[in-house]
Amino acid sequence: MQSLLYLISSIIGIYIWVVIIHVIISWLIAFQVINIHNQFVNSIKFMLDRLTKPVLQPIRRHMPDLGGVDISPVVLLLLLYFLRNLLFEYWPKFG
């Protein structure tokens, strides 16, 4: 059972990094630091959008409009950290 919990914790950790990289790439594109017409940048952005959009979209629907500021990745990161801490909290009960 510990192996399964460790796997879930690792998947959550990887997804946290995917969300952080998605936010950084979107900022770099918004401030025109990197060019979206570059094929490599476009493929990275497409992959990150496909990985994060299904989770971020329901959060965005429930968030109030903040005038162009999207805090849904912050909410998602908080939820992921909460889930990971909850997993570690109940870890000894499964072991």
Side-chain angles (χ1 to χ4, degrees):
M1 191 59 137
Q2 282 183 341
S3 298
L4 179 64
L5 293 175
Y6 211 57
L7 177 67
I8 293 170
S9 174
S10 297
I11 291 171
I12 291 172
I14 290 170
Y15 198 73
I16 286 170
W17 280 107
V18 167
V19 172
I20 290 170
I21 293 169
H22 180 260
V23 168
I24 291 171
I25 292 291
S26 67
W27 285 347
L28 292 175
I29 290 171
F31 292 120
Q32 297 178 356
V33 175
I34 56 176
N35 190 357
I36 193 67
H37 299 295
N38 185 337
Q39 184 65 30
F40 178 72
V41 172
N42 196 17
S43 63
I44 294 293
K45 183 185 178 318
F46 180 74
M47 178 193 64
L48 292 172
D49 283 342
R50 300 268 307 199
L51 288 172
T52 58
K53 190 171 185 173
V55 180
L56 288 174
Q57 202 62 32
I59 296 172
R60 286 180 180 139
R61 276 196 301 263
H62 291 80
M63 295 296 300
D65 185 22
L66 298 174
V69 177
D70 184 19
I71 62 167
S72 59
V74 175
V75 173
L76 177 60
L77 287 174
L78 289 174
L79 288 173
L80 287 171
Y81 279 118
F82 174 75
L83 182 64
R84 197 171 182 190
N85 287 339
L86 192 66
L87 184 71
F88 286 133
E89 184 177 321
Y90 289 107
W91 188 294
K93 294 183 180 181
F94 292 111

Coordinates of all heavy atoms in Angstrom, one line a residue:
M1 N 0.8 -1.2 0.0 CA 0.0 0.0 0.0 C 0.9 1.3 0.0 O 0.5 2.3 -0.6 CB -0.9 0.0 1.2 CG -2.0 1.0 1.2 SD -3.0 0.8 -0.3 CE -4.6 1.1 0.4
Q2 N 2.0 1.2 0.6 CA 2.9 2.4 0.7 C 3.4 2.7 -0.7 O 3.6 3.9 -1.1 CB 4.1 2.2 1.6 CG 3.7 2.3 3.0 CD 5.0 2.2 3.9 OE1 6.0 1.6 3.5 NE2 4.9 2.6 5.1
S3 N 3.6 1.7 -1.6 CA 4.1 1.9 -2.9 C 3.0 2.7 -3.7 O 3.4 3.6 -4.5 CB 4.4 0.6 -3.6 OG 5.4 -0.1 -3.0
L4 N 1.8 2.4 -3.5 CA 0.7 3.1 -4.2 C 0.6 4.5 -3.8 O 0.5 5.5 -4.6 CB -0.6 2.4 -4.0 CG -1.9 3.0 -4.7 CD1 -1.7 3.0 -6.2 CD2 -3.1 2.3 -4.2
L5 N 0.7 4.8 -2.5 CA 0.7 6.1 -1.9 C 1.9 6.9 -2.4 O 1.8 8.1 -2.7 CB 0.6 6.1 -0.4 CG -0.7 5.5 0.1 CD1 -0.6 5.4 1.6 CD2 -1.9 6.4 -0.3
Y6 N 3.0 6.3 -2.5 CA 4.2 7.0 -3.0 C 4.1 7.3 -4.4 O 4.5 8.4 -4.9 CB 5.4 6.1 -2.8 CG 6.7 6.8 -2.5 CD1 6.8 7.7 -1.5 CD2 7.8 6.6 -3.3 CE1 8.0 8.4 -1.3 CE2 9.0 7.2 -3.1 CZ 9.1 8.2 -2.1 OH 10.2 8.8 -1.9
L7 N 3.5 6.5 -5.2 CA 3.2 6.7 -6.6 C 2.2 7.9 -6.8 O 2.5 8.8 -7.6 CB 2.6 5.5 -7.3 CG 2.2 5.6 -8.8 CD1 3.5 5.9 -9.6 CD2 1.5 4.4 -9.3
I8 N 1.2 7.9 -6.0 CA 0.2 9.0 -6.1 C 0.9 10.4 -5.7 O 0.7 11.4 -6.3 CB -1.0 8.7 -5.2 CG1 -1.8 7.6 -5.7 CG2 -1.9 10.0 -5.0 CD1 -2.8 7.0 -4.8
S9 N 1.7 10.3 -4.7 CA 2.5 11.5 -4.2 C 3.4 12.0 -5.3 O 3.5 13.2 -5.6 CB 3.2 11.2 -3.0 OG 4.1 12.3 -2.6
S10 N 4.1 11.1 -6.0 CA 5.0 11.4 -7.1 C 4.2 12.0 -8.3 O 4.6 13.0 -8.9 CB 5.7 10.2 -7.6 OG 6.6 9.7 -6.6
I11 N 3.0 11.5 -8.6 CA 2.2 12.0 -9.7 C 1.7 13.4 -9.4 O 1.8 14.3 -10.2 CB 1.0 11.1 -10.0 CG1 1.6 9.8 -10.6 CG2 0.0 11.7 -10.9 CD1 0.6 8.7 -10.8
I12 N 1.3 13.6 -8.1 CA 0.9 15.0 -7.7 C 2.1 15.9 -7.8 O 1.9 17.1 -8.3 CB 0.3 14.9 -6.3 CG1 -1.0 14.2 -6.3 CG2 0.1 16.4 -5.8 CD1 -1.5 13.9 -4.9
G13 N 3.3 15.5 -7.4 CA 4.5 16.4 -7.5 C 4.8 16.7 -8.9 O 5.2 17.9 -9.2
I14 N 4.7 15.8 -9.8 CA 5.0 16.0 -11.3 C 3.9 17.0 -11.8 O 4.3 17.9 -12.6 CB 5.0 14.7 -12.1 CG1 6.2 13.9 -11.7 CG2 5.0 15.0 -13.6 CD1 6.3 12.5 -12.2
Y15 N 2.7 16.8 -11.4 CA 1.6 17.7 -11.9 C 1.8 19.1 -11.4 O 1.5 20.1 -12.1 CB 0.2 17.1 -11.6 CG -0.8 17.7 -12.5 CD1 -1.0 17.4 -13.8 CD2 -1.7 18.6 -11.9 CE1 -1.9 18.0 -14.6 CE2 -2.7 19.2 -12.7 CZ -2.8 18.9 -14.0 OH -3.8 19.4 -14.8
I16 N 2.3 19.2 -10.2 CA 2.6 20.6 -9.6 C 3.6 21.3 -10.5 O 3.4 22.5 -10.9 CB 3.0 20.5 -8.2 CG1 1.9 20.1 -7.2 CG2 3.7 21.8 -7.7 CD1 2.3 19.8 -5.8
W17 N 4.6 20.6 -10.9 CA 5.6 21.2 -11.8 C 5.1 21.5 -13.2 O 5.4 22.5 -13.8 CB 6.8 20.3 -11.9 CG 7.7 20.4 -10.8 CD1 7.9 19.5 -9.7 CD2 8.6 21.6 -10.4 NE1 8.8 20.0 -8.8 CE2 9.2 21.3 -9.2 CE3 8.8 22.8 -11.1 CZ2 10.1 22.2 -8.6 CZ3 9.6 23.7 -10.5 CH2 10.3 23.4 -9.3
V18 N 4.1 20.7 -13.7 CA 3.5 20.9 -15.0 C 2.7 22.2 -14.9 O 2.8 23.1 -15.8 CB 2.6 19.8 -15.4 CG1 1.7 20.1 -16.6 CG2 3.4 18.5 -15.8
V19 N 2.0 22.4 -13.8 CA 1.2 23.7 -13.7 C 2.1 24.9 -13.5 O 1.9 25.9 -14.2 CB 0.3 23.6 -12.4 CG1 -0.4 24.9 -12.1 CG2 -0.8 22.5 -12.6
I20 N 3.2 24.8 -12.8 CA 4.2 25.9 -12.6 C 4.8 26.2 -14.0 O 4.9 27.4 -14.4 CB 5.2 25.5 -11.6 CG1 4.6 25.5 -10.2 CG2 6.4 26.5 -11.6 CD1 5.5 25.0 -9.1
I21 N 5.2 25.2 -14.7 CA 5.8 25.5 -16.1 C 4.8 26.1 -17.0 O 5.1 27.0 -17.8 CB 6.4 24.2 -16.6 CG1 7.6 23.7 -15.8 CG2 6.8 24.3 -18.1 CD1 8.1 22.3 -16.1
H22 N 3.5 25.6 -16.9 CA 2.5 26.2 -17.7 C 2.3 27.7 -17.5 O 2.2 28.5 -18.4 CB 1.2 25.5 -17.5 CG 0.1 26.0 -18.3 ND1 -0.9 26.8 -17.8 CD2 -0.3 25.8 -19.6 CE1 -1.8 27.1 -18.7 NE2 -1.4 26.5 -19.9
V23 N 2.3 28.1 -16.2 CA 2.2 29.5 -15.8 C 3.4 30.3 -16.3 O 3.2 31.4 -16.9 CB 2.0 29.6 -14.3 CG1 2.2 31.1 -13.8 CG2 0.7 29.0 -13.8
I24 N 4.6 29.8 -16.2 CA 5.8 30.5 -16.6 C 5.8 30.7 -18.1 O 6.0 31.8 -18.6 CB 7.0 29.8 -16.1 CG1 7.2 29.9 -14.6 CG2 8.3 30.4 -16.8 CD1 8.3 29.1 -14.0
I25 N 5.4 29.6 -18.9 CA 5.4 29.7 -20.3 C 4.3 30.7 -20.8 O 4.5 31.5 -21.7 CB 5.1 28.3 -20.9 CG1 6.3 27.4 -20.7 CG2 4.8 28.4 -22.4 CD1 7.6 27.8 -21.5
S26 N 3.2 30.7 -20.1 CA 2.1 31.6 -20.5 C 2.5 33.1 -20.2 O 2.2 34.0 -21.0 CB 0.8 31.3 -19.8 OG 0.9 31.5 -18.4
W27 N 3.3 33.3 -19.1 CA 3.8 34.7 -18.8 C 4.8 35.1 -19.9 O 4.8 36.2 -20.4 CB 4.4 34.7 -17.5 CG 3.5 34.8 -16.3 CD1 2.1 35.0 -16.3 CD2 3.8 34.6 -15.0 NE1 1.6 34.9 -15.1 CE2 2.6 34.7 -14.2 CE3 5.0 34.3 -14.3 CZ2 2.6 34.5 -12.8 CZ3 5.0 34.1 -12.9 CH2 3.8 34.3 -12.2
L28 N 5.7 34.2 -20.2 CA 6.7 34.5 -21.3 C 6.1 34.8 -22.6 O 6.5 35.7 -23.3 CB 7.7 33.4 -21.4 CG 8.6 33.2 -20.2 CD1 9.5 31.9 -20.4 CD2 9.5 34.4 -19.9
I29 N 5.0 34.1 -22.9 CA 4.3 34.4 -24.2 C 3.5 35.7 -24.1 O 3.5 36.5 -25.0 CB 3.3 33.2 -24.5 CG1 4.2 32.0 -24.9 CG2 2.4 33.6 -25.6 CD1 3.3 30.7 -25.1
A30 N 2.9 36.0 -23.0 CA 2.1 37.2 -22.8 C 3.0 38.4 -22.8 O 2.6 39.5 -23.4 CB 1.4 37.2 -21.5
F31 N 4.2 38.3 -22.3 CA 5.2 39.5 -22.3 C 6.1 39.5 -23.5 O 7.1 40.2 -23.6 CB 6.0 39.5 -21.0 CG 5.2 39.8 -19.8 CD1 5.1 38.9 -18.8 CD2 4.5 41.0 -19.7 CE1 4.4 39.2 -17.6 CE2 3.7 41.3 -18.6 CZ 3.7 40.4 -17.6
Q32 N 5.8 38.6 -24.5 CA 6.5 38.5 -25.8 C 8.0 38.2 -25.6 O 8.8 38.7 -26.4 CB 6.2 39.7 -26.6 CG 4.8 39.8 -27.0 CD 4.5 41.0 -27.8 OE1 5.3 41.8 -28.1 NE2 3.2 41.1 -28.3
V33 N 8.4 37.5 -24.6 CA 9.7 37.1 -24.4 C 10.1 35.9 -25.3 O 11.2 35.9 -25.9 CB 10.0 36.7 -22.9 CG1 11.4 36.1 -22.7 CG2 9.8 37.9 -22.0
I34 N 9.1 35.0 -25.5 CA 9.3 33.9 -26.5 C 8.2 34.1 -27.5 O 7.1 34.6 -27.3 CB 9.3 32.5 -25.8 CG1 8.0 32.3 -25.0 CG2 10.5 32.3 -24.9 CD1 7.9 31.0 -24.4
N35 N 8.5 33.6 -28.7 CA 7.6 33.7 -29.8 C 6.7 32.5 -30.0 O 7.2 31.4 -30.1 CB 8.5 33.9 -31.1 CG 7.6 34.3 -32.3 OD1 6.4 34.4 -32.2 ND2 8.3 34.6 -33.4
I36 N 5.4 32.7 -30.1 CA 4.5 31.6 -30.2 C 4.6 31.0 -31.6 O 4.2 29.8 -31.8 CB 3.1 32.0 -29.8 CG1 2.1 30.8 -29.7 CG2 2.5 33.0 -30.9 CD1 2.4 30.0 -28.5
H37 N 5.1 31.7 -32.6 CA 5.2 31.2 -33.9 C 6.4 30.1 -34.1 O 6.5 29.5 -35.1 CB 5.4 32.3 -34.9 CG 4.2 33.2 -34.9 ND1 3.0 32.9 -35.3 CD2 4.2 34.5 -34.5 CE1 2.2 33.9 -35.2 NE2 2.8 34.9 -34.7
N38 N 7.2 30.0 -33.1 CA 8.3 29.0 -33.0 C 7.6 27.7 -32.8 O 6.8 27.5 -31.9 CB 9.2 29.3 -31.9 CG 10.4 28.4 -31.9 OD1 10.4 27.3 -32.4 ND2 11.5 28.8 -31.2
Q39 N 7.9 26.7 -33.7 CA 7.3 25.4 -33.6 C 7.5 24.7 -32.3 O 6.6 24.1 -31.8 CB 7.8 24.5 -34.8 CG 7.1 23.2 -34.9 CD 5.7 23.3 -35.2 OE1 5.2 24.2 -35.9 NE2 4.9 22.3 -34.7
F40 N 8.7 24.8 -31.7 CA 9.0 24.1 -30.4 C 8.2 24.7 -29.3 O 7.6 24.0 -28.5 CB 10.5 24.2 -30.1 CG 10.8 23.6 -28.8 CD1 10.8 22.2 -28.7 CD2 11.2 24.4 -27.7 CE1 11.2 21.6 -27.4 CE2 11.5 23.8 -26.5 CZ 11.5 22.4 -26.4
V41 N 8.1 26.0 -29.3 CA 7.4 26.8 -28.2 C 5.9 26.4 -28.4 O 5.2 26.2 -27.4 CB 7.6 28.3 -28.3 CG1 6.7 29.0 -27.4 CG2 9.1 28.6 -28.0
N42 N 5.4 26.4 -29.6 CA 4.0 26.1 -29.9 C 3.7 24.7 -29.4 O 2.6 24.5 -28.9 CB 3.7 26.3 -31.4 CG 2.2 26.4 -31.6 OD1 1.4 26.6 -30.7 ND2 1.8 26.2 -32.9
S43 N 4.5 23.7 -29.7 CA 4.2 22.3 -29.3 C 4.3 22.2 -27.7 O 3.5 21.5 -27.2 CB 5.2 21.4 -29.9 OG 6.5 21.6 -29.5
I44 N 5.2 22.9 -27.1 CA 5.2 22.9 -25.6 C 4.0 23.5 -25.0 O 3.4 22.9 -24.1 CB 6.5 23.6 -25.1 CG1 7.8 22.9 -25.5 CG2 6.4 23.8 -23.6 CD1 7.9 21.5 -24.9
K45 N 3.6 24.6 -25.6 CA 2.4 25.3 -25.1 C 1.1 24.4 -25.3 O 0.3 24.3 -24.5 CB 2.2 26.6 -25.8 CG 1.0 27.4 -25.3 CD 0.7 28.7 -26.1 CE -0.5 29.4 -25.7 NZ -1.7 28.7 -25.4
F46 N 1.1 23.8 -26.5 CA -0.1 22.9 -26.8 C -0.1 21.7 -25.8 O -1.2 21.4 -25.3 CB 0.0 22.4 -28.2 CG -1.1 21.5 -28.6 CD1 -2.3 22.0 -28.9 CD2 -0.9 20.1 -28.8 CE1 -3.4 21.2 -29.3 CE2 -1.9 19.3 -29.1 CZ -3.1 19.8 -29.4
M47 N 1.0 21.1 -25.5 CA 1.1 20.0 -24.6 C 0.7 20.4 -23.2 O -0.1 19.8 -22.5 CB 2.5 19.4 -24.6 CG 2.6 18.3 -23.6 SD 4.3 17.8 -23.2 CE 4.9 19.2 -22.4
L48 N 1.2 21.6 -22.7 CA 0.8 22.1 -21.4 C -0.6 22.4 -21.3 O -1.3 22.2 -20.3 CB 1.7 23.2 -21.0 CG 3.2 22.9 -20.8 CD1 4.0 24.2 -20.6 CD2 3.4 22.0 -19.6
D49 N -1.2 23.0 -22.4 CA -2.6 23.3 -22.4 C -3.5 22.1 -22.3 O -4.5 22.0 -21.6 CB -3.0 24.1 -23.6 CG -2.6 25.6 -23.6 OD1 -2.3 26.1 -22.5 OD2 -2.5 26.2 -24.7
R50 N -3.1 21.0 -23.0 CA -3.8 19.8 -23.0 C -3.7 19.1 -21.6 O -4.6 18.4 -21.2 CB -3.3 18.8 -24.0 CG -3.4 19.3 -25.5 CD -4.6 18.9 -26.1 NE -4.8 17.5 -26.0 CZ -5.6 16.8 -26.8 NH1 -6.2 17.4 -27.7 NH2 -5.8 15.5 -26.6
L51 N -2.6 19.3 -20.9 CA -2.5 18.7 -19.6 C -3.2 19.4 -18.5 O -3.7 18.8 -17.5 CB -1.0 18.5 -19.2 CG -0.2 17.5 -20.0 CD1 1.3 17.6 -19.7 CD2 -0.7 16.1 -19.6
T52 N -3.3 20.8 -18.6 CA -3.8 21.6 -17.5 C -5.2 22.0 -17.7 O -6.0 22.3 -16.7 CB -2.9 22.8 -17.2 OG1 -2.8 23.6 -18.4 CG2 -1.5 22.4 -16.8
K53 N -5.7 22.2 -18.9 CA -7.0 22.8 -19.2 C -8.1 22.0 -18.6 O -9.1 22.6 -18.1 CB -7.2 23.0 -20.7 CG -8.4 23.8 -21.0 CD -8.5 24.1 -22.5 CE -9.7 25.0 -22.7 NZ -9.7 25.5 -24.1
P54 N -8.1 20.6 -18.7 CA -9.3 19.9 -18.1 C -9.4 20.1 -16.5 O -10.5 20.0 -16.0 CB -8.9 18.4 -18.3 CG -8.0 18.4 -19.5 CD -7.2 19.7 -19.4
V55 N -8.3 20.4 -15.9 CA -8.4 20.6 -14.4 C -8.7 22.1 -14.1 O -9.4 22.4 -13.2 CB -7.1 20.2 -13.7 CG1 -7.2 20.4 -12.3 CG2 -6.8 18.7 -14.1
L56 N -8.1 23.0 -14.9 CA -8.2 24.4 -14.6 C -9.6 25.0 -15.1 O -10.1 25.9 -14.5 CB -7.1 25.2 -15.3 CG -5.7 25.1 -14.8 CD1 -4.7 25.8 -15.7 CD2 -5.7 25.6 -13.4
Q57 N -10.2 24.4 -16.1 CA -11.5 24.9 -16.6 C -12.6 24.9 -15.5 O -13.3 25.9 -15.4 CB -11.9 24.1 -17.8 CG -12.8 24.9 -18.7 CD -12.3 26.2 -19.3 OE1 -11.1 26.3 -19.5 NE2 -13.1 27.1 -19.5
P58 N -12.8 23.8 -14.8 CA -13.9 23.9 -13.7 C -13.6 24.9 -12.6 O -14.5 25.5 -12.1 CB -13.9 22.5 -13.2 CG -13.2 21.6 -14.2 CD -12.3 22.5 -14.9
I59 N -12.3 25.1 -12.3 CA -11.9 26.1 -11.3 C -12.2 27.5 -11.9 O -12.7 28.3 -11.1 CB -10.4 26.0 -10.9 CG1 -10.2 24.6 -10.3 CG2 -10.0 27.1 -10.0 CD1 -8.7 24.3 -10.0
R60 N -11.9 27.7 -13.1 CA -12.2 29.0 -13.7 C -13.7 29.4 -13.8 O -14.1 30.5 -13.7 CB -11.6 29.1 -15.2 CG -10.1 29.2 -15.2 CD -9.6 29.2 -16.6 NE -8.2 29.3 -16.6 CZ -7.4 28.7 -17.4 NH1 -7.9 27.9 -18.3 NH2 -6.1 28.8 -17.3
R61 N -14.5 28.3 -13.9 CA -16.0 28.6 -14.0 C -16.5 29.0 -12.6 O -17.5 29.8 -12.6 CB -16.7 27.3 -14.4 CG -16.8 27.1 -15.9 CD -17.8 26.0 -16.2 NE -17.5 24.7 -15.6 CZ -16.9 23.7 -16.2 NH1 -16.5 23.9 -17.5 NH2 -16.8 22.6 -15.6
H62 N -15.9 28.6 -11.6 CA -16.3 28.9 -10.2 C -15.7 30.2 -9.6 O -16.0 30.6 -8.5 CB -16.2 27.7 -9.3 CG -17.1 26.6 -9.6 ND1 -16.9 25.7 -10.6 CD2 -18.3 26.2 -9.0 CE1 -17.8 24.8 -10.7 NE2 -18.7 25.1 -9.7
M63 N -14.6 30.7 -10.3 CA -13.9 31.8 -9.8 C -14.6 33.1 -10.2 O -15.1 33.2 -11.3 CB -12.5 31.8 -10.3 CG -11.6 30.7 -9.8 SD -11.3 30.7 -8.0 CE -10.5 32.2 -7.8
P64 N -14.6 34.1 -9.4 CA -15.1 35.4 -9.8 C -14.2 36.1 -10.8 O -13.0 35.8 -10.9 CB -15.2 36.2 -8.5 CG -14.2 35.6 -7.6 CD -14.1 34.2 -8.0
D65 N -14.8 37.0 -11.6 CA -14.0 37.7 -12.6 C -13.1 38.8 -11.9 O -13.7 39.6 -11.2 CB -14.9 38.4 -13.6 CG -14.2 39.1 -14.7 OD1 -13.0 38.7 -14.9 OD2 -14.7 40.0 -15.3
L66 N -11.8 38.7 -12.0 CA -10.9 39.6 -11.4 C -10.3 40.6 -12.3 O -9.2 41.1 -12.1 CB -9.8 38.8 -10.6 CG -10.3 37.9 -9.5 CD1 -9.2 37.0 -9.0 CD2 -11.0 38.7 -8.4
G67 N -10.9 40.8 -13.4 CA -10.4 41.8 -14.4 C -9.2 41.4 -15.1 O -8.3 42.2 -15.2
G68 N -9.2 40.2 -15.7 CA -8.1 39.8 -16.5 C -7.0 39.0 -15.8 O -6.0 38.6 -16.4
V69 N -7.1 38.9 -14.4 CA -6.1 38.2 -13.7 C -6.7 36.8 -13.4 O -7.7 36.6 -12.8 CB -5.8 38.9 -12.3 CG1 -4.9 38.1 -11.5 CG2 -5.3 40.3 -12.6
D70 N -5.9 35.8 -13.9 CA -6.3 34.4 -13.7 C -5.6 33.8 -12.5 O -4.4 33.5 -12.6 CB -6.0 33.6 -15.0 CG -6.5 32.2 -14.9 OD1 -7.4 31.9 -14.1 OD2 -6.1 31.4 -15.8
I71 N -6.3 33.5 -11.5 CA -5.7 32.9 -10.3 C -6.1 31.5 -10.1 O -5.8 30.8 -9.1 CB -6.0 33.7 -9.0 CG1 -7.5 33.7 -8.7 CG2 -5.5 35.1 -9.0 CD1 -7.9 34.1 -7.3
S72 N -6.7 30.9 -11.2 CA -7.0 29.5 -11.1 C -5.8 28.6 -10.9 O -5.9 27.5 -10.2 CB -7.9 29.1 -12.3 OG -7.2 29.3 -13.5
P73 N -4.6 28.8 -11.5 CA -3.5 28.0 -11.2 C -3.0 28.0 -9.8 O -2.6 27.0 -9.2 CB -2.4 28.5 -12.2 CG -3.1 29.2 -13.3 CD -4.3 29.8 -12.6
V74 N -3.2 29.2 -9.1 CA -2.9 29.3 -7.7 C -3.8 28.4 -6.9 O -3.4 27.7 -6.0 CB -2.9 30.8 -7.3 CG1 -2.7 30.9 -5.8 CG2 -1.9 31.6 -8.0
V75 N -5.1 28.5 -7.2 CA -6.1 27.7 -6.5 C -5.8 26.2 -6.7 O -5.8 25.4 -5.8 CB -7.5 28.0 -7.0 CG1 -8.5 27.1 -6.4 CG2 -7.8 29.5 -6.6
L76 N -5.4 25.8 -8.0 CA -5.1 24.4 -8.3 C -3.9 24.0 -7.5 O -3.8 22.9 -6.9 CB -4.9 24.2 -9.8 CG -4.5 22.8 -10.2 CD1 -5.5 21.8 -9.8 CD2 -4.2 22.8 -11.7
L77 N -2.8 24.8 -7.4 CA -1.6 24.5 -6.7 C -1.9 24.3 -5.2 O -1.4 23.4 -4.6 CB -0.6 25.5 -6.9 CG 0.1 25.5 -8.3 CD1 1.1 26.7 -8.4 CD2 0.9 24.2 -8.5
L78 N -2.8 25.2 -4.7 CA -3.2 25.1 -3.2 C -3.9 23.7 -3.0 O -3.7 23.1 -2.0 CB -4.0 26.2 -2.8 CG -3.3 27.6 -2.7 CD1 -4.3 28.7 -2.4 CD2 -2.2 27.5 -1.6
L79 N -4.8 23.4 -3.9 CA -5.5 22.1 -3.8 C -4.6 20.9 -3.9 O -4.8 20.0 -3.2 CB -6.6 22.1 -4.9 CG -7.8 23.0 -4.7 CD1 -8.7 22.9 -5.9 CD2 -8.6 22.6 -3.4
L80 N -3.6 21.0 -4.8 CA -2.7 19.9 -5.0 C -1.8 19.7 -3.7 O -1.6 18.6 -3.3 CB -1.8 20.1 -6.2 CG -2.6 19.9 -7.6 CD1 -1.7 20.3 -8.7 CD2 -3.0 18.4 -7.7
Y81 N -1.3 20.9 -3.2 CA -0.5 20.8 -2.0 C -1.4 20.3 -0.8 O -0.9 19.5 0.0 CB 0.1 22.1 -1.6 CG 1.3 22.4 -2.4 CD1 1.4 23.5 -3.3 CD2 2.5 21.6 -2.3 CE1 2.5 23.8 -4.0 CE2 3.6 21.9 -3.0 CZ 3.6 23.0 -3.9 OH 4.8 23.2 -4.6
F82 N -2.6 20.7 -0.7 CA -3.5 20.2 0.3 C -3.7 18.7 0.2 O -3.7 17.9 1.2 CB -4.9 20.9 0.3 CG -5.9 20.4 1.2 CD1 -5.8 20.6 2.6 CD2 -6.9 19.6 0.7 CE1 -6.7 20.1 3.5 CE2 -7.9 19.1 1.6 CZ -7.8 19.4 3.0
L83 N -4.0 18.2 -1.0 CA -4.2 16.8 -1.3 C -2.9 16.0 -0.9 O -3.0 14.9 -0.3 CB -4.6 16.6 -2.7 CG -4.9 15.2 -3.2 CD1 -6.1 14.6 -2.4 CD2 -5.1 15.1 -4.7
R84 N -1.8 16.5 -1.3 CA -0.5 15.8 -1.0 C -0.3 15.8 0.5 O 0.1 14.8 1.1 CB 0.6 16.6 -1.7 CG 1.9 15.8 -1.8 CD 2.8 16.5 -2.7 NE 4.0 15.8 -2.9 CZ 5.1 16.3 -3.5 NH1 5.0 17.5 -3.9 NH2 6.1 15.6 -3.6
N85 N -0.5 16.9 1.2 CA -0.4 16.9 2.7 C -1.4 16.0 3.4 O -1.1 15.3 4.4 CB -0.5 18.3 3.2 CG 0.7 19.2 2.9 OD1 1.7 18.7 2.7 ND2 0.5 20.5 2.9
L86 N -2.6 15.9 2.8 CA -3.6 15.0 3.4 C -3.2 13.6 3.2 O -3.3 12.7 4.1 CB -4.9 15.3 2.6 CG -6.2 14.6 3.2 CD1 -6.5 15.2 4.6 CD2 -7.3 14.8 2.3
L87 N -2.5 13.3 2.0 CA -2.0 12.0 1.8 C -0.9 11.6 2.8 O -0.9 10.5 3.3 CB -1.4 11.9 0.4 CG -0.9 10.6 -0.2 CD1 -2.1 9.6 -0.4 CD2 -0.2 10.8 -1.5
F88 N 0.0 12.5 3.1 CA 1.1 12.3 4.0 C 0.5 12.2 5.5 O 1.1 11.5 6.3 CB 2.1 13.4 4.0 CG 3.0 13.2 2.8 CD1 3.3 14.3 2.0 CD2 3.6 12.0 2.4 CE1 4.1 14.3 0.9 CE2 4.4 11.9 1.3 CZ 4.7 13.0 0.6
E89 N -0.6 12.9 5.7 CA -1.2 12.8 7.1 C -1.7 11.4 7.4 O -1.6 11.0 8.5 CB -2.3 13.9 7.2 CG -2.9 14.0 8.5 CD -3.9 15.1 8.6 OE1 -3.7 16.2 7.9 OE2 -5.0 14.9 9.2
Y90 N -2.4 10.8 6.4 CA -2.9 9.5 6.6 C -2.0 8.4 6.2 O -2.4 7.2 6.2 CB -4.3 9.4 5.8 CG -5.3 10.2 6.4 CD1 -5.8 11.4 5.8 CD2 -5.9 9.9 7.7 CE1 -6.7 12.2 6.4 CE2 -6.9 10.7 8.2 CZ -7.3 11.8 7.6 OH -8.2 12.6 8.2
W91 N -0.8 8.7 5.8 CA 0.2 7.7 5.4 C 0.4 6.6 6.5 O 0.4 5.4 6.2 CB 1.5 8.4 5.0 CG 2.5 7.5 4.4 CD1 3.2 6.5 5.0 CD2 3.0 7.6 3.1 NE1 4.1 5.9 4.1 CE2 4.0 6.6 2.9 CE3 2.7 8.4 2.0 CZ2 4.6 6.4 1.7 CZ3 3.4 8.2 0.8 CH2 4.4 7.2 0.7
P92 N 0.6 7.0 7.7 CA 0.9 6.0 8.8 C -0.2 5.0 9.0 O 0.0 3.9 9.4 CB 1.2 6.7 10.0 CG 1.5 8.1 9.6 CD 0.8 8.3 8.3
K93 N -1.5 5.4 8.7 CA -2.6 4.6 8.9 C -2.7 3.4 7.9 O -3.3 2.4 8.1 CB -3.9 5.4 8.9 CG -4.0 6.4 10.0 CD -5.3 7.1 9.9 CE -5.4 8.0 11.1 NZ -6.6 8.8 11.2
F94 N -2.1 3.7 6.7 CA -2.1 2.6 5.7 C -0.9 1.7 5.8 O -0.9 0.6 5.2 CB -2.1 3.2 4.3 CG -3.4 4.0 4.0 CD1 -3.4 5.3 3.8 CD2 -4.5 3.3 3.8 CE1 -4.6 6.0 3.5 CE2 -5.7 3.9 3.5 CZ -5.7 5.3 3.4
G95 N 0.2 2.1 6.5 CA 1.4 1.4 6.5 C 1.5 0.2 7.5 O 0.8 -0.2 8.3

